[in-house]
């Protein structure tokens, strides 16, 4: 079997004990030559910016020492456009890199907890403060946790109690464009060769810290060792101005000719003084944010960033701008805007460039930040949203906070906002107004958790559906006499009732007429792998649709009926044979008290020998709704809404199936020229569910449904032989629908000895492999009326290139946890990515022993076409990969996903 998705894990932990015994020599080396009993090196980690904001210490220089008023000065920059539009850039600068002002209730937490991730730490030491050696270093760029613990512990040496430590974030191992150099003897501190990624979405912030000189004064007692991290880069953001008169869509922003690679020399003092960039060997280039879509008219004051929630900031090396750096904005209509930048970017500040057309005494800034991600369906609180609101006097560069407030909601996306349109699922916003400032006011949304037991709802609907067949039995093949008769090997039952199935071979009757094409092939004669005349249970040619009429009524007198197996108790009551109008039928009842999601196989017998069997699928009517899916070749296949035999065993989820979003309008309370700045934040909650279940499984070419649950979970009196041996034949398959025949020569020997026909599920097929050839449904097809097994190319749209291992065309389920919760993939139905179709990961039954494997982890789905005399074509997938054109031995038990005829 070609199984791309099988994973093996080995129990390697047995050797772990050997790793605990470390030699004394190794211990001494790891601890810098100590005996391992001294105190551990550990740091107290602080973020200077967060601490200053949380304490309210927002006077100039509180975050970045040495900033002057000119460093935070804004202004207006002349812009040039290839379309002669009136445009300029209004620049404003605030202290801090994307500063955020937290709610009062969380300030203590921010002071106590660093938001940093792992960082790199280096240390130098000596016998006295004046004798701290820069070389050799004590340790260099060791990976350190955000709480200040080294991943590989290092201990102090009382013989060398004086030390100085340096730290760099991010951890050197996680950012390939950064090199931490050894401590320099002249400066007494290390340097960092740092390169800004040209792709803004991959840029990282750079923060550094130094403890200053620290003394290990009391042996075995850990000294206080503080690391105060400060920002070394400049944050750059672009935004759309208020009420631009031209309507365009921005799709790319660049900073051109900027310093992209330089050297940063760390401070050797605790207060950060002395740190600076060495621009002697700079490299210049461009930083690009592309793939955005920002309307200049529909999104006033919105920051130009990536997809919703990305909040991308240009993290740039501080540098002189005049004569070097140009801002470039590109619009989808070809409009290009270039702006020569002036002045200097200072470390530890954020500069915003806003497209504008108007001038005023004050420059007003109102910038929203959406929650970093949509809330999950079972979450009652969103991630934080933010509002930055202030104004600046362009003459004096004085900055003042501007109050803001929420003035309306738009829940139906019609562009109209009102307070009454706040949806019920948005319980409240923790902050609906704020005093404003250069640091963002933050709040969260409280949401409802609208979760329901979808399995209970599904079963309740089945039980409460109007009973059918109260006067006369409800014939499933005529929908109670409302349509011409069409038959199949599988029938969907969606209500209690008294039911009837005609004793007809598969789909041998269609729209009231004999469908001889289902049991007679017209393929070119002489092909030993074509079954020209389909066989009955005695291996005789089928000559009539009715079981009791074929072969001159050789099977007349069908006299027995039974439930072969069921995956829930008492789904089918009192199966019996009746004759009405000269025709034979299988009658049975389904009670309201017992009906539930599930499956059963019923069979009819003559003299104790099974002559045919059918699959009964207890599911809602909409299980057979059609979902159009376009494959890679551009052909549309209308798949059933649910996989054949889908039986959920656990299913709870949101009461809504599409993401729900409300737009919240915010305005500044002070107007500029009679117009108040306004913007919008978006609060979104995604749908979701936790689902488990099973589908019926099929061996290639057989009509017989096999349980997708363990035999131990079948109803009492079920009979299912999981491993029936290498004894497959048409006759044995029909007579023993409970036998799962295992792999061997009976499957692949040349017919009629072997079960290796090409056309068991497509009457006219003589081809092998992957194609979009028309499938002619046969009497061995397991699908319900109006549906058939799909062509072998039907699944190719589920990867970007139509091949195994191509980029998965899935919505959300590439994440392992979401895939598990969803019990499989949600595939996009076309390249437009506007609709999805769910495929459960229902596992498979092994061709070797019939065992049920990988339920909930892997999915396998047969097509109607063989890959060879040995194997069939199938779709396979896991959470991390999709193979739409795979092949495997015919004896495997895979799922079936019908397509419309």
């Amino acid at each position: 079997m070609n199984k791309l998705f099988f994973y093996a894990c080995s129990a390697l932990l047995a050797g772990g004990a050997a790793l605990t015994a470390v030699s004394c020599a190794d211990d001494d080396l790891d601890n810098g030559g100590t005996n391992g009993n001294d105190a551990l090196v550990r740091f107290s980690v602080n973020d200077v910016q967060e601490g200053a904001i949380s304490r309210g210490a927002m006077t100039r220089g509180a975050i970045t020492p040495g900033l002057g008023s000119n460093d935070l000065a804004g202004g207006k920059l002349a812009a040039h456009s290839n379309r002669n539009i009136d445009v300029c850039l209004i620049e404003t600068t605030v202290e801090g890199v994307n500063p955020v002002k937290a709610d009062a209730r969380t300030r203590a937490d921010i002071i106590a907890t660093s938001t940093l991730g792992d960082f790199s730490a280096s240390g130098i030491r000596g016998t006295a403060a004046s004798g701290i050696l820069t070389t050799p270093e004590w340790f260099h760029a060791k990976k350190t946790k955000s709480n200040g613990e080294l991943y590989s512990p290092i201990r102090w040496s009382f013989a060398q109690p004086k030390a100085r430590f340096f730290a760099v974030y991010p951890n050197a191992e996680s950012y390939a464009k950064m090199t931490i150099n050894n401590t320099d003897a002249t400066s007494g501190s290390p340097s960092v060769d740092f390169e800004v990624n040209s792709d803004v979405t991959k840029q990282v912030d750079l923060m550094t810290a130094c403890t200053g000189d620290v003394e290990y004064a009391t042996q075995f007692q850990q000294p206080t060792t503080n690391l105060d991290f400060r920002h070394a880069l400049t944050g750059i953001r672009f935004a759309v101005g208020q009420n631009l008169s031209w309507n365009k869509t921005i799709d790319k922003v660049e900073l051109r000719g900027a310093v992209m690679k330089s050297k940063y020399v760390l401070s050797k003092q605790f207060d950060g003084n002395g740190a600076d960039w060495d621009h002697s060997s700079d490299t210049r280039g461009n930083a690009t944010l592309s793939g955005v879509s920002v309307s200049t008219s529909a999104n006033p004051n919105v920051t130009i960033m990536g997809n919703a929630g990305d909040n991308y900031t240009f993290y740039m090396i501080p540098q002189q701008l005049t004569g070097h750096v140009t801002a470039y904005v590109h619009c989808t209509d070809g409009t290009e805007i270039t702006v020569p930048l002036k002045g200097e970017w200072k470390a530890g500040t954020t500069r915003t460039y806003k497209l504008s057309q108007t001038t005023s005494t004050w420059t007003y800034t109102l910038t929203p930040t959406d929650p970093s991600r949509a809330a999950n369906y079972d979450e009652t609180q969103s991630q934080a949203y933010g509002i930055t609101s202030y104004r600046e006097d362009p003459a004096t560069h004085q900055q003042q906070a501007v109050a803001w407030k929420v003035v309306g909601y738009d829940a139906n996306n019609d562009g109209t906002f009102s307070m009454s349109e706040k949806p019920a699922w948005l319980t409240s916003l923790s902050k609906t107004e704020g005093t404003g400032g250069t640091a963002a006011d933050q709040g969260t949304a409280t949401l409802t958790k609208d979760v329901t037991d979808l399995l209970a709802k599904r079963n309740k609907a089945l039980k409460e559906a109007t009973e059918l067949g109260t006067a006369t039995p409800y014939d499933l093949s005529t929908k109670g006499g409302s349509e011409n008769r069409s038959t199949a090997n599988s029938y969907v039952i969606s209500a209690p009732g008294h039911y009837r199935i005609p004793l007809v071979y598969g789909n041998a009757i269609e729209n009231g007429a004999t469908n001889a094409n289902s049991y007679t092939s017209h393929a070119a004669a002489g092909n030993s792998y074509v079954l020209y005349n389909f066989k009955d249970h005695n291996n005789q040619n089928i000559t009539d649709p009715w079981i009791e009429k074929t072969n001159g009524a050789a099977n007349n007198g069908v006299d027995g009926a039974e439930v072969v197996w069921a995956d829930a108790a008492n789904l089918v009551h009192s199966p019996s044979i009746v004759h009405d109008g000269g025709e034979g039928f299988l009658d049975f009842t389904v009670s309201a008290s017992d009906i539930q999601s599930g499956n059963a196989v019923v069979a009819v017998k003559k003299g104790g020998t099974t002559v045919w069997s059918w699959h009964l699928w207890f599911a809602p009517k909409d299980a057979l709704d059609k979902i159009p899916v376009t494959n890679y070749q551009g052909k549309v296949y209308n798949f059933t809404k649910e996989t054949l035999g889908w039986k959920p065993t656990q299913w709870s989820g949101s009461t809504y199936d599409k993401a729900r979003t409300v737009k919240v309008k915010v305005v500044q309370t002070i107007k500029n020229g009679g117009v108040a700045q306004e913007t919008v934040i978006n609060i979104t909650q995604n749908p979701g569910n936790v689902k488990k279940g099973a589908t019926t499984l099929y061996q290639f070419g057989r009509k017989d449904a096999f349980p997708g649950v363990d035999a131990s979970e079948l109803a009492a009196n079920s009979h299912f032989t999981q491993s029936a041996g290498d004894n497959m034949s048409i006759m044995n398959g029909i007579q023993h629908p409970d036998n799962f025949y295992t792999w061997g020569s009976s499957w692949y020997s040349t017919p009629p000895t072997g079960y290796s026909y090409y056309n068991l599920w497509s009457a006219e097929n003589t081809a092998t492999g992957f194609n979009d050839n028309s499938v002619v449904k046969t009497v061995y097809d397991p699908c319900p009326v109006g549906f058939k097994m799909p062509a072998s190319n039907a699944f190719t749209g589920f990867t970007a290139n139509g091949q195994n291992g191509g980029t998965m065309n899935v919505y959300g389920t590439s994440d392992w946890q979401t895939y598990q919760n969803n019990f499989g993939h949600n595939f996009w139905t076309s390249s437009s990515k506007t609709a999805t179709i769910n495929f459960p990961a229902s596992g498979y039954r092994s061709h070797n022993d019939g065992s049920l494997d990988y339920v909930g982890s892997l999915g396998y789905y047969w097509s109607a076409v063989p890959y060879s005399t040995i194997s069939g074509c199938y779709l396979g997938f896991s959470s991390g990969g999709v193979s739409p054109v795979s092949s495997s031995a015919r004896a495997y038990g895979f799922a079936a996903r019908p397509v419309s005829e």
Side-chain angles (χ1 to χ4, degrees), residues 49 61-68 71-72 93-98 205-208 230-236 264-265 272 275-277 279 315-320 344-351:
Q49 176 173 305
I63 295 174
T64 306
L67 284 179
D71 295 325
L72 300 179
T93 306
V94 298
E95 187 172 355
V97 176
N98 293 335
D205 198 3
L206 174 64
M207 299 177 72
T208 66
R230 293 175 171 84
H231 291 274
L233 300 179
T234 306
I236 307 296
Y264 184 70
V265 180
D276 202 4
W277 287 90
H279 290 292
Y315 288 106
M316 302 300 294
I317 293 171
Q319 56 192 279
Q320 292 289 339
E344 181 182 2
W345 289 334
K346 288 286 188 176
T349 64
T350 299
R351 183 167 296 189

Side-chain angles (χ1 to χ4, degrees), residues 303-625:
T303 302
I304 300 171
M305 52 185 158
N307 296 322
D310 287 339
N311 296 338
Y312 290 131
T313 296
F314 288 73
Y315 288 106
M316 302 300 294
I317 293 171
Q319 56 192 279
Q320 292 289 339
L321 305 172
T322 306
H324 297 289
V325 183
T326 300
Y328 170 81
V329 178
H330 183 271
C331 301
T332 55
D333 69 347
T335 297
E336 295 178 312
I337 300 167
T338 56
V339 187
L341 301 183
K342 298 179 180 179
E344 181 182 2
W345 289 334
K346 288 286 188 176
T349 64
T350 299
R351 183 167 296 189
T352 299
Y353 294 103
K354 180 178 290 189
L355 290 173
S356 181
Q357 286 181 278
T358 60
T359 60
S360 63
T361 303
W362 288 91
T363 299
Y364 285 76
T365 297
L366 180 64
T367 304
T369 303
D370 287 348
S372 59
R373 63 168 176 81
N376 294 328
Y377 77 101
D378 55 354
E379 290 182 317
T380 57
Q381 189 174 47
S382 73
Q383 300 293 302
Y385 59 85
I387 296 291
T388 302
S389 179
Y390 65 94
R391 68 180 183 176
E392 180 177 326
D393 185 333
T396 64
H397 307 305
Q398 178 187 3
Q399 293 173 330
Q400 292 181 353
V402 176
W404 60 271
K405 64 180 180 180
V406 171
V407 296
Y409 301 86
D410 178 13
N412 59 9
N413 201 33
D414 65 354
T416 301
F417 291 82
S418 69
M419 295 301 290
S420 61
E421 202 172 324
K422 183 170 78 72
W425 59 267
L426 175 62
T427 302
S428 64
L429 300 175
S430 67
K431 187 171 283 294
T432 57
E433 58 185 35
T435 57
T438 57
D441 290 312
Q442 276 197 320
T444 57
T446 300
L447 313 171
T448 60
K449 187 168 67 173
D450 298 325
V451 177
T452 187
D453 187 335
L454 297 172
L455 175 56
K457 181 180 179 180
R458 181 183 178 105
N459 286 336
K460 183 173 183 289
L462 292 176
K463 292 178 182 296
E464 295 180 354
T466 301
E467 186 175 355
L468 300 176
T470 54
T472 59
Y474 183 92
D475 190 329
L476 287 165
S477 69
T478 64
K479 295 187 177 178
S482 64
E483 296 181 358
N484 291 331
R485 173 166 284 127
S486 292
T487 59
N489 288 317
S490 177
Y491 293 96
V492 174
I493 296 176
S494 306
H498 183 192
Y499 290 99
R500 169 169 290 179
I501 294 174
L503 303 187
V504 172
Y505 294 110
N507 61 319
I509 294 178
E510 187 174 284
N511 196 26
T514 295
N515 178 25
N517 291 332
S518 67
Y519 53 85
T520 304
S521 175
H522 302 90
N527 191 328
S528 59
Y529 291 101
V530 171
L531 181 63
Y532 292 98
N533 296 287
F534 284 65
K535 309 298 182 181
D536 66 6
H537 72 289
N538 275 330
N539 207 34
Q540 300 300 305
N541 293 345
I542 296 173
T543 61
D544 191 280
W546 292 89
I547 293 172
E548 291 186 310
K549 293 182 179 181
T550 190
N551 290 310
N555 300 325
N556 189 33
V558 173
D559 55 7
E562 67 169 354
V563 176
V564 179
W565 64 263
D567 54 21
N570 302 315
L571 286 175
V572 178
H573 292 271
S574 307
S576 61
I577 302 298
V578 297
H579 289 85
D580 186 355
E583 310 292 4
F585 298 90
L586 168 62
D587 283 12
F588 58 92
T589 58
V590 176
S591 69
S593 59
D594 293 320
I595 191 173
Q596 61 173 291
S597 291
N599 299 274
V601 170
V602 292
V604 295
K605 298 186 173 187
K606 178 182 178 182
T609 298
T610 296
V611 297
W612 205 256
S613 58
W614 294 266
H615 166 222
L616 305 178
W617 180 18
F618 296 84
K621 290 181 180 179
D622 67 359
L624 296 182
D625 283 358

Side-chain angles (χ1 to χ4, degrees), residues 693 819 822-825 839-843 854-861 877:
Y819 176 87
N822 194 57
F823 200 73
H825 273 311
F839 272 64
S842 51
Y854 292 96
V855 175
S857 297
L858 306 177
Y860 294 89
Y861 288 76
F877 60 81

Side-chain angles (χ1 to χ4, degrees), residues 568-865:
N570 302 315
L571 286 175
V572 178
H573 292 271
S574 307
S576 61
I577 302 298
V578 297
H579 289 85
D580 186 355
E583 310 292 4
F585 298 90
L586 168 62
D587 283 12
F588 58 92
T589 58
V590 176
S591 69
S593 59
D594 293 320
I595 191 173
Q596 61 173 291
S597 291
N599 299 274
V601 170
V602 292
V604 295
K605 298 186 173 187
K606 178 182 178 182
T609 298
T610 296
V611 297
W612 205 256
S613 58
W614 294 266
H615 166 222
L616 305 178
W617 180 18
F618 296 84
K621 290 181 180 179
D622 67 359
L624 296 182
D625 283 358
K626 299 171 185 176
I627 298 179
V629 174
T630 304
N631 72 355
Y632 181 75
Q633 290 73 21
K635 184 173 178 60
V636 176
Y637 291 90
N638 291 296
F639 283 96
T640 52
K641 179 181 178 182
E642 295 185 359
T643 296
L644 186 58
W646 168 243
K647 168 190 169 69
T649 56
Q650 176 190 345
W651 191 14
S652 62
S654 57
T655 57
Y656 50 96
D657 59 5
K658 293 181 175 60
R660 51 190 189 185
T661 297
V662 59
K663 296 179 179 293
V664 183
K665 179 178 282 190
V666 173
V667 300
Q668 289 182 324
T669 59
I670 299 176
K671 294 183 178 180
N672 178 21
V675 178
Q677 296 275 310
E678 63 181 41
T679 191
V680 168
I681 55 176
N682 298 277
I683 307 297
T684 301
Q685 189 174 29
N686 283 333
N689 62 76
V690 175
K691 180 169 55 177
K692 294 181 180 178
T695 67
T696 45
L697 301 174
Y698 302 84
Q699 294 184 290
F700 186 85
R702 293 187 68 177
K703 66 179 177 59
D704 310 297
F706 292 102
V709 298
D710 285 330
S712 61
E713 299 177 44
L714 297 179
N717 300 320
S718 293
H719 48 98
F720 164 54
T721 303
Q722 178 174 293
S723 183
D726 174 20
N727 200 21
M728 184 59 205
S729 67
I730 293 176
M731 183 175 70
N732 285 347
I734 296 173
Q735 289 189 14
H736 302 284
D738 54 340
N739 279 2
F740 191 94
Y741 292 108
T742 55
W743 181 245
S745 60
S746 66
W747 283 90
Y748 57 77
S749 296
T750 303
T753 305
Y755 196 70
S756 53
Y757 295 102
Y758 288 162
N759 63 327
L760 294 167
W761 279 342
S762 183
E764 307 303 322
N765 182 66
T766 58
T768 57
F770 298 94
N771 56 63
D772 287 303
N773 296 347
S774 178
V775 172
V776 178
K777 186 177 181 181
T778 75
V779 290
Y780 301 152
D781 186 296
C783 300
V785 171
F787 295 90
K788 61 186 177 181
M789 292 296 289
S792 50
N793 266 352
F795 308 109
T796 56
F798 296 158
T799 62
N801 62 1
Q803 299 298 312
N804 296 340
T807 301
M808 301 187 300
N809 282 337
V810 299
Y811 176 58
T813 49
S814 57
D815 169 73
W816 167 245
Q817 189 59 58
T818 304
Y819 176 87
Q820 277 202 314
N821 290 346
N822 194 57
F823 200 73
H825 273 311
N826 293 327
F827 290 108
W828 289 114
T829 59
S830 70
S831 58
S832 64
K833 297 186 177 181
T834 56
T836 62
I837 184 170
N838 176 259
F839 272 64
S842 51
Y844 68 93
R845 286 195 175 275
S846 169
H847 67 323
N848 289 320
D849 58 8
S851 60
L852 188 62
D853 296 317
Y854 292 96
V855 175
S857 297
L858 306 177
Y860 294 89
Y861 288 76
W862 285 127
S863 75
V865 182

